[in-house]
């Protein structure tokens, strides 16, 4: 998919998704004494490529808050398996936000919300208003927005991720995606799915049933469906934890995000 050929295009950068990967590359290439400068240059270059390729009229970089309060209330173990951000990068974040601002990209975060939910809320609201919108991220969690008029751009592959690509990769229909994640879980955020259900079992179930509710309502369940019914509470918790929120109150308008080129 090419960049939008009209005057409007909202680009939402999942900031830490981009920055952490850029930082990891620089750790392998740069001496420790020049790591901060190399990371700044990598981010500047990446943003130049993004704005050149996607031609935004409006743009924003979204950072994670300190925690996801509502998910942690449901499951205290949420994301507890993740390695902490490298100290060198954590100490540099404010400088990187200043760099973004210098090149015309403002940053936002919310103390108790993840970037994923902020990005999803902003993108879904824009798409609902028929405003072209692209999220720059490699996070698979955004796949569920693809059938809602939102585009997902992988900076490192330099291309858009398509619905057909996701469906072929996972072996399901795009509208079954949230149910698929709930069945199999997501180890990267420490959320377990249904015990005994892996990717192949989930594919099999979702080829037989349109959604997990139909599985739960099955009066004569076979072996796999019985596992889902037996573990329905685990399933429902995974659904809540893994579904992106699109209803946050953002406190700003789209016109405040207009891209002012440096």
């Amino acid at each position: 998919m090419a960049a939008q050929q009209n005057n409007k295009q909202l680009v939402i950068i999942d900031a830490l998704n981009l920055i952490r990967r850029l930082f990891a590359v620089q750790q392998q290439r740069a001496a420790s004494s020049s790591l901060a400068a190399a990371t700044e240059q990598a981010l500047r270059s990446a943003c130049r490529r993004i704005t050149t390729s996607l031609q935004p009229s409006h743009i924003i970089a979204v950072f994670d808050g300190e925690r996801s309060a509502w998910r942690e209330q449901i499951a205290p173990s949420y994301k507890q398996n993740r390695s902490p951000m490298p100290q060198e990068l954590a100490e540099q974040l404010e400088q990187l936000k200043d760099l973004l601002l210098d090149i015309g990209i403002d940053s936002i975060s919310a103390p108790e919300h993840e970037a994923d939910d902020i990005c999803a809320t902003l993108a879904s609201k824009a798409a609902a208003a028929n405003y072209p919108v692209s999220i720059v991220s490699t996070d698979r969690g955004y796949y569920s927005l693809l059938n809602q008029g939102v585009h997902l751009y992988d900076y490192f592959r330099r291309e858009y991720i398509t619905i057909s690509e996701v469906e072929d990769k996972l072996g399901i229909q795009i509208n079954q995606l949230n149910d698929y994640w709930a069945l199999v879980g997501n180890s990267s955020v420490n959320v377990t799915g249904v015990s005994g259900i892996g990717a192949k079992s989930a594919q099999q179930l979702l080829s037989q049933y349109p959604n997990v509710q139909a599985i739960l309502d099955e009066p004569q369940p076979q072996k796999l469906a019985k596992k889902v019914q037996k573990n329905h509470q685990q399933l429902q918790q995974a659904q809540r934890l893994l579904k992106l929120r699109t209803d946050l109150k953002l406190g700003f308008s789209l016109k405040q995000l207009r891209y002012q080129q440096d």
Side-chain angles (χ1 to χ4, degrees):
M1 175 185 168
Q4 296 288 336
Q5 301 298 312
N6 57 30
N7 294 327
K8 57 184 185 179
Q9 164 87 240
L10 170 62
V11 170
I12 304 168
I13 300 174
D14 184 356
L16 287 182
N17 177 272
L18 176 66
I19 290 170
R20 290 188 75 150
R21 290 192 62 174
L22 293 173
F23 179 82
V25 171
Q26 300 314 310
Q27 276 186 307
Q28 298 173 8
R29 295 178 177 176
S32 57
S33 59
S34 59
L35 181 57
T39 301
E40 286 188 13
Q41 183 54 44
L43 179 59
R44 186 182 296 272
S45 176
C47 290
R48 186 179 301 117
R49 284 181 178 270
I50 289 168
T51 54
T52 299
S53 299
L54 305 189
Q55 295 291 301
S57 59
H58 297 72
I59 190 167
I60 190 72
V62 180
F63 284 79
D64 280 312
E66 295 178 3
R67 55 196 287 262
S68 177
W70 70 272
R71 287 189 174 94
E72 290 175 10
Q73 287 177 354
I74 297 172
S77 62
Y78 180 74
K79 280 191 174 180
Q80 291 301 304
N81 60 333
R82 283 199 170 181
S83 300
M85 182 184 299
Q87 187 63 30
E88 306 98 315
L89 179 57
E91 293 173 354
Q92 192 184 5
L93 279 186
E94 291 306 314
Q95 291 175 263
L96 296 177
K97 290 178 182 179
D98 289 342
L99 181 154
L100 289 170
L101 192 58
D102 286 344
I103 60 177
I105 303 174
D106 205 350
S107 302
I108 60 168
S109 63
E112 296 190 343
H113 291 295
E114 294 179 81
D116 304 26
D117 292 325
I118 301 173
C119 290
T121 295
L122 182 54
S124 62
K125 288 182 184 298
N130 296 315
Y131 205 98
V133 55
S134 297
I135 296 175
V136 179
S137 183
T138 60
D139 191 333
R140 297 184 305 168
Y142 295 118
Y143 287 174
S144 61
L145 300 176
L146 289 173
N147 66 336
Q148 299 178 34
V150 176
H151 304 296
L152 184 59
Y153 185 77
D154 185 333
Y155 167 76
F156 298 95
R157 286 169 41 186
R158 307 285 199 272
E159 63 184 11
Y160 281 92
I161 295 168
T162 65
I163 290 176
S164 60
E165 175 188 346
V166 173
E167 290 182 336
D168 290 345
K169 181 188 296 185
L170 299 180
I172 57 170
Q173 298 298 306
I174 195 73
N175 60 2
Q176 297 175 311
L177 192 57
N178 288 329
D179 288 344
Y180 174 82
W181 294 138
L183 287 167
V184 302
N186 185 341
S187 60
S188 71
V189 291
N190 210 28
V191 174
T192 56
V194 174
S195 299
I197 301 293
K200 289 185 178 180
S201 298
Q203 290 168 359
Q204 183 179 333
L205 283 165
L206 293 173
S207 68
Q208 296 172 341
Y209 298 92
N211 50 53
V212 293
Q213 189 58 52
I215 301 172
L216 295 175
D217 293 340
E218 172 60 68
Q220 296 180 313
Q222 299 300 309
K223 182 179 179 180
L224 290 178
K226 280 182 179 178
K227 288 184 179 180
V228 177
Q229 293 184 359
K230 181 180 178 181
N231 294 279
H232 68 278
Q233 290 182 326
Q234 192 175 17
L235 170 73
Q236 289 164 345
Q237 176 166 295
Q239 282 181 307
R240 292 180 65 193
L241 291 169
L242 297 176
K243 184 176 181 180
L244 292 173
R245 285 189 61 177
T246 58
D247 61 347
L248 301 183
K249 294 182 179 180
L250 298 175
F252 58 86
S253 65
L254 186 62
K255 61 184 178 182
Q256 293 174 272
L257 309 183
R258 180 165 289 279
Y259 177 44
Q260 304 292 338
Q261 298 188 45
D262 59 321

